[in-house]
Amino acid sequence: MSKTYVCPRCQTNRSRFHIMEQRPQAVKLDPQSGEVVQEFEQDGLDPFHIPYGGPNYRIQCGTCGLNEDERLFMRF
């Protein structure tokens, strides 16, 4: 299904956008070194790790550079 976008900031761009797919990676880091200690699958998170709840896609206007949630570009 095709979606039409309009940039809410510059309001003139309707054709030039960057569509960025977000792929969250759940990890546990060492607090001193910052190295990855453990990687989690999204369905196998431990009780202290909240699953990612953000948008799957972000859109960036190719004219003014505004980078926001896809719904903002569709809703405008």
Side-chain angles (χ1 to χ4, degrees):
M1 184 169 125
S2 298
K3 300 173 187 167
T4 58
Y5 296 138
V6 176
C7 178
R9 181 191 287 163
C10 66
Q11 300 179 3
T12 57
N13 181 22
R14 294 176 181 266
S15 61
R16 300 191 190 313
F17 299 97
H18 300 278
I19 300 174
M20 298 166 283
E21 183 178 3
Q22 299 197 142
R23 295 184 188 155
Q25 181 181 5
V27 296
K28 182 177 181 181
L29 300 177
D30 181 275
Q32 278 76 35
S33 67
E35 292 182 32
V36 175
V37 175
Q38 186 177 6
E39 291 187 36
F40 300 99
E41 296 295 325
Q42 289 300 319
D43 57 348
L45 297 176
D46 67 16
F48 297 106
H49 206 120
I50 297 172
Y52 178 72
N56 292 331
Y57 293 96
R58 292 194 52 101
I59 307 298
Q60 182 179 26
C61 176
T63 303
C64 71
L66 178 67
N67 185 349
E68 290 292 336
D69 187 348
E70 182 183 32
R71 291 179 288 157
L72 184 64
F73 285 84
M74 291 180 353
R75 200 178 313 154
F76 188 81

